[in-house]
Amino acid sequence: MRQFSATVVSNISLCRDLYRIDFAWDARAVGPAPGQFFTVRVSDSTVPLLRRPFAVSGYASDTRTASAIYQRRGRGTDLLAARQAGERLDVIGPLGNTFPPPKNSQRCFLAAGGIGLGPVLYLARHLVRDGRDISLVFGARTSAGVPAAGTFDGLSPAVCTDDGSQGFPGSAIDYLNTLEPGTFQDTVLYACGPMAMLKEYHAIAATHQCPCYVSIEQVMACGVGACMGCAIRVTTEATYARVCTDGPVFDSGVIVWT
Amino acid sequence: MRQFSATVVSNISLCRDLYRIDFAWDARAVGPAPGQFFTVRVSDSTVPLLRRPFAVSGYASDTRTASAIYQRRGRGTDLLAARQAGERLDVIGPLGNTFPPPKNSQRCFLAAGGIGLGPVLYLARHLVRDGRDISLVFGARTSAGVPAAGTFDGLSPAVCTDDGSQGFPGSAIDYLNTLEPGTFQDTVLYACGPMAMLKEYHAIAATHQCPCYVSIEQVMACGVGACMGCAIRVTTEATYARVCTDGPVFDSGVIVWT
Amino acid sequence: MDLTVTIGNGKLPNPVGVASGTFGYGSEYESLIELSKLGAIYSKAVTLEPRPGNDAPRLVETPSGMLNSIGLANVGVERFLTDKMPFLARQACAVVCNVAGSGEDDYLRVVERLETHPDIFGYEINVSCPNVKHGGLALGTDPVLVERLVRRVRGLTRRPVIVKLTPNVTDITVVARAAENGGGDAISCINSLVGMVIDVGARRPVLPAGCGGLSGPAIRPVGVALTYRVSRAVSIPVIGIGGIMSADDALQYLLAGASAVQIGCATFVDPSIPGRVLSGIADYMTREQIACVQDIRGLLQ
Amino acid sequence: MDLTVTIGNGKLPNPVGVASGTFGYGSEYESLIELSKLGAIYSKAVTLEPRPGNDAPRLVETPSGMLNSIGLANVGVERFLTDKMPFLARQACAVVCNVAGSGEDDYLRVVERLETHPDIFGYEINVSCPNVKHGGLALGTDPVLVERLVRRVRGLTRRPVIVKLTPNVTDITVVARAAENGGGDAISCINSLVGMVIDVGARRPVLPAGCGGLSGPAIRPVGVALTYRVSRAVSIPVIGIGGIMSADDALQYLLAGASAVQIGCATFVDPSIPGRVLSGIADYMTREQIACVQDIRGLLQ
Ligand SMILES: Cc1cc2nc3c(=O)[nH]c(=O)nc-3n(C[C@H](O)[C@H](O)[C@H](O)COP(=O)(O)OP(=O)(O)OC[C@H]3O[C@@H](n4cnc5c(N)ncnc54)[C@H](O)[C@@H]3O)c2cc1C
Ligand SMILES: Cc1cc2nc3c(=O)[nH]c(=O)nc-3n(C[C@H](O)[C@H](O)[C@H](O)COP(=O)(O)OP(=O)(O)OC[C@H]3O[C@@H](n4cnc5c(N)ncnc54)[C@H](O)[C@@H]3O)c2cc1C
Ligand SMILES: Cc1cc2nc3c(=O)[nH]c(=O)nc-3n(C[C@H](O)[C@H](O)[C@H](O)COP(=O)(O)O)c2cc1C
Ligand SMILES: Cc1cc2nc3c(=O)[nH]c(=O)nc-3n(C[C@H](O)[C@H](O)[C@H](O)COP(=O)(O)O)c2cc1C
Ligand code: FES
Ligand code: FES
């Protein structure tokens, strides 16, 4: 990991709720892999104080351009959305672990909800480039949370909306439950989204006895494993794991789901 | 006084160190008079927390446009300088007292240092409109602190710079000391600028036994007389006066100069 | 919707008041705020004699807060009654007099004088002022002194007696219980924290007095924590204070156990805040179907 | 230019350290910070047994600050020695072990074990942890307990013993003097303030533990004020802590009376801050022609 001052390449709105920022990744830093994240100091004021973490949603190693898909949720992401091309961004990355690759024969089922889109999209592109057979499902509350088709470049996700305003009417979980049980044979599940959704994926995976990797969010202070602030409960002897360094990707079987 | 949401008409740089902001004064508020000030909430964040006070540097009663001349000094004025035409400004005004008018026969000598320019300029225009005979002196550290001649519209101040880079070489006080003593006969002095400068004007006025009114700055919290925070030492029985409501204009003889 | 707050034998029309020292004597904000919408105006501290206050500067901004060193600058109880009360008495909202002094007798004599005025709702006893006899520490750091003072004030009045605590103590619940035992009708929680800012260029504290009182959003987590503790230690109402800028902030205090709140330096920042806090609380009650503002206290899980 | 700081029989290379709990065991920041430039690394609290820490979430941001409720999560003294010390021992900077426990014996046994390692500079005794025997209040609120604990630690080691005080007390100078009387070599001032944030939507405190520790720029005025007081009450060095984000902030502490400083959550915000604070202090000394960092203390008017 490195701390660097990155130049913003572009920062655009993808749909009402989502934005994408592209910036130049530092040449001396390792390129980010699917599952990894970075933190940004969004303001030089003391409000907001803490850096904000975002998952990498794509990385072009030729141009060294990294991107993230984010939602405006509060002051930090408001300030991020105000950054314009050419401006600077104080970035630390790459942080965290990566999605484990599927076994040779395994098919990959990828599921993203809301702001979980970024890391799942990056993983999807990565797997497709490796010639893997993937299925992608993306769930949002309403069509306002669904970016234009171009965002998925070439991938064709099953889009679900809770209010039925676009694609499958219902959650991504509801959608999965409509699929034939055979779908999950020799399959590995990858998911990122709200905790409640991840818990359901874990349950589905357990039912079908397929491995399931989830990318978790937790409020962070340091992002590098030093403060013990981003703990989540795990089933191992350690009791707690740090999302920033032991994760953000975990085998769903290790998490204590509450 | 009223609190209102004003539209910024323009916000421009006058020289390296000074800016001028023009904004629409609320129709239901009394128009500001020379000497008065207003406060602005520069951010909806809690940093900076307190409103920032600025003297009115001009007011066009026909268009109800008020202006202030300000210096970028810290975060508050940085944020003010970033406001663009059409944006909103949370204003409370008019606040404080006004410069007392000169007696009939009196000539007026007006002196401004640095950010003291605004209120003095407004007073000068006001007096000229009333057909008064005025002299105006403006002192800055260097030519970077001297706005273009157009700022003084029609008035021709004696410009002084400490480093001699423009106009009279030396402070405005040095300049005054080059004038013939007769200059101050039947004259009233009006001054705004750093405390050290005001103290010297007071001394000059005392020597020449002419009245002297100074506009004082003090850190403020409420700006309306409620918090007792903006106190300055005075010679009256009250011991302290509030700059925001008893001032900002004081007879220099009332101030305890330290 | 019932927004009233009962304190002793009195009733405040709503839970949102403006804190002592931040609202002068009311008239200063008359043209900016509808005073009749306020639950209560807590006056600037009233002392026996007029006090000029501390040397300038008296204020300095800090990250998300401010330090003040006003030094109880006030007109004294006599001029308060003659010059300030007539305006306050005309207002629809409750007027609570914040009372301060350097010794016990000062407090008592001020209350005695204020008892002569018919339009005072009650007293807020400010035990946070540095006390000479008590080694410069605030009287409010000693539960024995607090209990005795409150008991003696209690003996002078049937009006609500509110005791305003300092947060600068090891265990605020001990002092809160002392105030309750002395006969106090409510606790105001909290006054400002001790703080200092040094002007590095000038090599001296910005405030000539050295330390000042820290208030504003920076201290809100401290105020909420101490309100939570105090409201569990006493059975009289608690009035939450410290860094409230919005209805959500006020609701944190009410959920923590407060029966009412006071807005302090937020009024400086935006005089519309007290009004918006009240309407925001009312909106919350509508949305969450809460009939009585006093029920919010019981909702914390 | 002399940047060294003498503490007991030890000497720190410069006055800028990184605070306990905000820098893990050093290795976490290895790729972001030149550790050799640090005056000292104060380790995460070390306890006798490993501790898993508190339930999640453990953090919440506040205006210009943050609350934490980590709960002394740490690997315990044995694994600290085997897993963490080898890395720390390789670093050029001083390693100070922050020691915590639920009772006096815990502290002593941790220090005894740490004495076996040759590369520890000294100990920072964290008396701010809630103490079961002491009614849940921190041991550090009782000067008698503090003096006894420090005296017993003193008996175990010739290394520098630093006592880290809690600000949540009525009179911090009393506790500071107790630490000095017990044989402490320095005072760390301050640990975090008590605070709480309530999630209004969920109607419960954000932190499952209820209260947490407030740190960051919001508390800087409190840290400076207490450093000013403590450094006038004791003759041992004081290490100023709380909200330092820049060289100017650190200079406030040094002018207030501190001999050294620690950077806490500012490192989270920008890992380059400790380095920039040190170079900023050096620049100030050059500009103001101050030869010895220890002389800054005497410059306050
Ligand atoms: C590993 C990781 C990857 C993430 N990836 C993405 C992503 O790709 N796209 C995206 O939109 N969001 C992502 N997030 C969440 C993102 O960090 C928060 O939305 C953002 O910090 C909110 O900041 P704010 O100031 O706008 O909102 P706030 O008003 O501060 O808070 C809004 C919400 O964000 C959460 N939050 C606030 N601060 C933090 C913090 N320091 N760390 C984590 N969560 C916080 C709060 O719990 C709150 O519920 C990720 C979080 C983590 C931990
Ligand atoms: C009655 C009055 C009229 C003024 N008129 C003008 C004017 O016409 N043009 C102009 O440029 N400036 C004027 N000022 C000064 C102006 O208010 C400050 O420059 C401004 O507040 C600085 O804010 P900042 O955040 O940029 O700087 P900061 O970094 O906060 O501070 C820079 C300096 O400004 C002073 N200052 C900070 N906050 C306040 C406050 N709330 N009130 C007063 N001073 C403060 C500080 O003492 C400090 O020395 C006036 C001040 C007063 C009291
Ligand atoms: C300028 C100023 C003056 C104050 N004067 C008094 C006072 O006279 N008596 C008192 O009890 N509290 C006084 N306080 C404390 C406030 O009433 C309040 O307890 C404190 O500011 C915390 O609330 P806040 O964070 O909302 O400002 C004063 C506060 C400020 C900022
Ligand atoms: C996440 C976190 C964990 C902490 N853990 C400890 C600890 O284990 N021992 C200790 O003495 N102080 C601990 N502290 C307190 C800091 O060392 C420091 O005293 C406090 O944060 C104030 O400094 P700051 O405002 O610069 O952060 C911790 C602080 C934070 C933010
Ligand atoms: S955020 Fe600090 S350990 Fe994960
Ligand atoms: S700023 Fe409050 S009284 Fe002047």
Side-chain angles (χ1 to χ4, degrees):
Chain A
M1 88 193 73
R2 284 188 72 88
Q3 180 176 16
F4 55 91
S5 169
T7 304
V8 176
V9 174
S10 76
N11 194 8
I12 55 165
S13 161
L14 298 176
C15 56
R16 204 195 56 198
D17 291 355
L18 296 176
Y19 291 72
R20 192 182 76 204
I21 190 163
D22 292 8
F23 59 93
W25 194 260
D26 192 68
R28 288 158 305 174
V30 180
Q36 288 192 298
F37 68 100
F38 60 92
T39 62
V40 186
R41 185 171 183 194
V42 285
S43 158
D44 62 354
S45 158
T46 55
V47 177
L49 184 66
L50 296 173
R51 303 177 76 86
R52 296 299 193 245
F54 300 95
V56 176
S57 68
Y59 178 64
S61 52
D62 47 350
T63 60
R64 297 194 77 85
T65 305
S67 18
I69 294 174
Y70 64 96
Q71 190 191 355
R72 268 174 85 156
R73 282 217 262 181
R75 182 173 297 275
T77 44
D78 278 354
L79 288 168
L80 189 64
R83 293 295 172 93
Q84 292 177 0
E87 290 184 1
R88 292 297 185 142
L89 211 57
D90 171 353
V91 172
I92 296 180
L95 298 170
N97 66 0
T98 62
F99 286 107
K103 300 239 164 59
N104 268 337
S105 64
Q106 284 174 325
R107 272 179 309 158
C108 307
F109 204 107
L110 283 65
I115 61 168
L117 179 58
V120 167
L121 207 55
Y122 187 18
L123 174 66
R125 288 208 209 87
H126 205 84
L127 292 171
V128 168
R129 206 189 321 144
D130 286 358
R132 309 298 305 224
D133 177 16
I134 72 157
S135 303
L136 179 60
V137 55
F138 172 66
R141 229 171 304 216
T142 74
S143 61
V146 184
T151 307
F152 303 103
D153 55 10
L155 308 170
S156 38
V159 170
C160 315
T161 54
D162 293 350
D163 70 348
S165 53
Q166 190 173 340
F168 176 85
S171 71
I173 307 284
D174 294 338
Y175 172 79
L176 253 67
N177 286 330
T178 66
L179 302 179
E180 288 182 28
T183 316
F184 299 99
Q185 229 179 328
D186 201 23
T187 293
V188 52
L189 253 173
Y190 296 101
C192 185
M195 270 312 239
M197 171 185 141
L198 299 183
K199 184 181 176 179
E200 297 202 61
Y201 281 113
H202 168 67
I204 291 174
T207 310
H208 299 288
Q209 297 190 304
C210 61
C212 176
Y213 298 101
V214 294
S215 174
I216 303 265
E217 275 178 34
Q218 181 60 282
V219 180
M220 292 184 176
C222 72
V224 301
C227 73
M228 308 294 184
C230 61
I232 51 155
R233 200 88 213 241
V234 288
T235 55
T236 64
E237 203 206 343
T239 321
Y240 291 99
R242 290 165 303 183
V243 172
C244 68
T245 34
D246 303 321
V249 178
F250 292 90
D251 181 327
S252 71
V254 168
I255 309 281
V256 177
W257 299 98
T258 48
Chain B
M1 88 193 75
R2 285 188 71 89
Q3 180 178 16
F4 55 90
S5 168
T7 304
V8 176
V9 174
S10 75
N11 193 6
I12 55 164
S13 161
L14 298 177
C15 55
R16 203 194 59 196
D17 290 355
L18 296 176
Y19 291 72
R20 192 181 78 205
I21 189 162
D22 292 10
F23 60 94
W25 194 261
D26 191 67
R28 288 159 305 174
V30 180
Q36 289 193 297
F37 67 101
F38 60 91
T39 61
V40 186
R41 183 170 184 195
V42 285
S43 158
D44 63 352
S45 157
T46 56
V47 176
L49 183 66
L50 296 173
R51 304 177 76 86
R52 297 298 194 243
F54 299 95
V56 176
S57 67
Y59 177 63
S61 51
D62 48 348
T63 60
R64 297 195 77 86
T65 305
S67 17
I69 294 174
Y70 64 95
Q71 189 190 356
R72 269 175 84 157
R73 281 217 262 182
R75 184 173 296 273
T77 44
D78 279 353
L79 288 168
L80 189 64
R83 291 296 171 94
Q84 293 178 358
E87 291 185 358
R88 291 298 185 144
L89 211 57
D90 171 353
V91 172
I92 296 179
L95 298 170
N97 65 2
T98 62
F99 287 107
K103 301 238 163 58
N104 269 336
S105 64
Q106 284 173 327
R107 273 179 308 159
C108 306
F109 204 108
L110 283 65
I115 61 168
L117 179 58
V120 167
L121 207 54
Y122 187 18
L123 175 65
R125 288 208 209 88
H126 204 83
L127 292 170
V128 167
R129 207 187 323 140
D130 286 357
R132 310 300 305 225
D133 177 16
I134 72 156
S135 303
L136 180 60
V137 55
F138 173 65
R141 231 171 303 218
T142 73
S143 61
V146 184
T151 308
F152 302 103
D153 54 9
L155 307 169
S156 40
V159 170
C160 314
T161 52
D162 293 349
D163 70 348
S165 53
Q166 190 173 340
F168 175 85
S171 71
I173 306 285
D174 295 336
Y175 172 78
L176 255 67
N177 286 330
T178 66
L179 302 180
E180 286 181 31
T183 316
F184 298 99
Q185 228 179 330
D186 202 22
T187 293
V188 52
L189 254 173
Y190 296 101
C192 186
M195 271 311 238
M197 172 185 142
L198 299 183
K199 185 181 175 179
E200 298 203 59
Y201 281 112
H202 168 66
I204 290 173
T207 309
H208 299 289
Q209 296 190 305
C210 61
C212 177
Y213 298 100
V214 293
S215 174
I216 303 265
E217 276 179 33
Q218 182 58 284
V219 180
M220 293 184 176
C222 71
V224 302
C227 73
M228 308 295 185
C230 61
I232 50 154
R233 202 89 212 242
V234 288
T235 55
T236 66
E237 203 205 342
T239 319
Y240 291 99
R242 290 165 302 183
V243 171
C244 68
T245 35
D246 303 320
V249 179
F250 291 89
D251 181 328
S252 70
V254 168
I255 308 281
V256 177
W257 298 100
T258 47
Chain C
M1 186 180 302
D2 180 3
L3 287 168
T4 60
V5 183
T6 302
I7 296 190
N9 63 7
K11 206 171 218 175
L12 300 174
N14 74 61
V16 182
V18 284
S20 175
T22 66
F23 211 73
Y25 303 106
S27 60
E28 295 85 350
Y29 274 108
E30 190 189 10
S31 56
L32 295 173
I33 295 184
E34 251 186 274
L35 303 182
S36 64
K37 295 260 175 80
L38 296 173
I41 294 178
Y42 297 79
S43 78
K44 172 70 194 165
V46 178
T47 56
L48 194 55
E49 307 294 340
R51 299 217 191 174
N54 288 339
D55 239 5
R58 293 177 173 181
L59 302 172
V60 54
E61 192 163 323
T62 68
S64 297
M66 57 176 283
L67 276 189
N68 84 79
S69 160
I70 309 296
L72 297 182
N74 84 102
V75 297
V77 68
E78 295 309 329
R79 276 191 55 209
F80 175 75
L81 286 169
T82 55
D83 299 4
K84 307 298 178 185
M85 266 313 293
F87 175 87
L88 286 166
R90 282 198 303 276
Q91 308 312 315
C93 66
V95 176
V96 178
C97 293
N98 184 276
V99 177
S102 7
E104 201 176 279
D105 287 346
D106 288 5
Y107 287 89
L108 301 174
R109 288 170 64 194
V110 171
V111 170
E112 264 170 2
R113 285 296 294 136
L114 294 173
E115 277 289 294
T116 63
H117 198 291
D119 296 316
I120 292 170
F121 174 88
Y123 308 107
E124 184 178 53
I125 309 297
N126 173 3
V127 295
S128 313
C129 356
N131 187 263
V132 187
K133 288 214 187 113
H134 200 225
L137 281 184
L139 186 151
T141 59
D142 184 336
V144 175
L145 293 186
V146 168
E147 182 168 341
R148 199 176 68 181
L149 172 62
V150 175
R151 180 161 291 127
R152 293 188 65 189
V153 170
R154 177 78 291 161
L156 297 176
T157 183
R158 300 195 54 231
R159 291 175 176 164
V161 174
I162 304 166
V163 184
K164 183 163 178 183
L165 300 185
T166 166
N168 303 303
V169 294
T170 305
D171 187 353
I172 197 170
T173 63
V174 174
V175 190
R177 274 192 298 263
E180 184 177 32
N181 289 340
D185 295 305
I187 303 287
S188 283
C189 174
I190 57 175
N191 214 313
S192 49
L193 299 181
V194 169
M196 180 185 276
V197 173
I198 288 176
D199 179 334
V200 170
R203 297 179 180 175
R204 60 165 177 256
V206 172
L207 304 175
C211 290
L214 181 64
S215 57
I219 71 164
R220 191 195 310 138
V222 178
V224 172
L226 298 184
T227 296
Y228 179 89
R229 289 187 178 171
V230 167
S231 62
R232 275 151 190 76
V234 297
S235 52
I236 51 179
V238 177
I239 303 169
I241 319 172
I244 297 175
M245 299 283 287
S246 68
D248 196 81
D249 299 343
L251 286 162
Q252 285 197 48
Y253 277 95
L254 297 176
L255 286 165
S259 296
V261 295
Q262 292 176 31
I263 316 281
C265 49
T267 305
F268 305 155
V269 176
D270 181 350
S272 74
I273 286 177
R276 287 196 282 119
V277 167
L278 179 60
S279 60
I281 292 174
D283 290 349
Y284 172 84
M285 289 170 63
T286 307
R287 211 166 50 237
E288 306 277 323
Q289 299 185 287
I290 299 165
C292 240
V293 75
Q294 291 314 311
D295 294 342
I296 297 176
R297 217 151 21 107
L299 298 177
L300 194 77
Q301 293 183 356
Chain D
M1 186 178 302
D2 180 5
L3 288 168
T4 60
V5 183
T6 301
I7 296 189
N9 63 7
K11 205 170 219 176
L12 300 174
N14 73 61
V16 182
V18 285
S20 175
T22 67
F23 211 74
Y25 302 106
S27 60
E28 295 86 348
Y29 274 108
E30 190 189 10
S31 54
L32 295 173
I33 295 184
E34 251 186 271
L35 302 183
S36 63
K37 293 261 174 80
L38 297 173
I41 294 177
Y42 296 79
S43 77
K44 173 70 194 163
V46 178
T47 56
L48 194 57
E49 307 293 339
R51 299 218 191 175
N54 288 339
D55 238 5
R58 294 177 173 180
L59 302 172
V60 54
E61 192 164 324
T62 68
S64 297
M66 58 176 283
L67 277 188
N68 84 79
S69 160
I70 308 297
L72 297 182
N74 83 102
V75 297
V77 67
E78 295 308 329
R79 275 191 52 209
F80 175 75
L81 286 169
T82 54
D83 298 4
K84 307 299 179 184
M85 267 313 293
F87 175 86
L88 286 166
R90 282 198 303 276
Q91 308 311 315
C93 66
V95 176
V96 178
C97 293
N98 184 276
V99 177
S102 6
E104 201 175 278
D105 287 345
D106 288 5
Y107 286 89
L108 300 175
R109 287 169 63 194
V110 171
V111 171
E112 264 170 1
R113 285 297 292 134
L114 294 173
E115 276 291 295
T116 62
H117 199 291
D119 295 316
I120 292 171
F121 174 88
Y123 308 106
E124 184 178 52
I125 308 298
N126 174 3
V127 295
S128 313
C129 358
N131 187 262
V132 187
K133 285 210 190 119
H134 200 225
L137 281 183
L139 187 150
T141 60
D142 184 336
V144 176
L145 293 186
V146 169
E147 182 168 340
R148 197 176 69 183
L149 172 63
V150 175
R151 180 161 290 127
R152 293 188 64 189
V153 171
R154 178 76 292 162
L156 296 176
T157 182
R158 301 195 56 232
R159 291 175 177 164
V161 174
I162 303 166
V163 184
K164 183 163 179 184
L165 301 184
T166 166
N168 304 302
V169 294
T170 304
D171 187 354
I172 197 169
T173 64
V174 174
V175 190
R177 273 193 298 264
E180 183 177 32
N181 289 340
D185 296 305
I187 303 288
S188 283
C189 174
I190 54 176
N191 214 313
S192 47
L193 300 181
V194 169
M196 180 186 276
V197 173
I198 288 176
D199 181 335
V200 171
R203 298 179 179 175
R204 61 166 177 255
V206 172
L207 304 175
C211 290
L214 180 64
S215 56
I219 71 163
R220 192 196 310 139
V222 178
V224 172
L226 298 184
T227 295
Y228 179 87
R229 290 187 176 172
V230 167
S231 62
R232 274 150 191 76
V234 297
S235 53
I236 51 178
V238 177
I239 302 168
I241 318 172
I244 297 175
M245 298 283 288
S246 68
D248 196 80
D249 299 343
L251 286 163
Q252 285 198 48
Y253 276 95
L254 296 177
L255 285 165
S259 296
V261 295
Q262 291 176 30
I263 316 281
C265 49
T267 305
F268 303 155
V269 176
D270 181 350
S272 73
I273 286 177
R276 287 195 285 120
V277 167
L278 179 60
S279 60
I281 292 173
D283 290 349
Y284 172 84
M285 290 172 61
T286 306
R287 210 166 51 239
E288 307 276 324
Q289 299 184 287
I290 300 165
C292 237
V293 75
Q294 291 315 310
D295 294 341
I296 297 177
R297 218 152 22 109
L299 298 177
L300 194 77
Q301 297 185 353

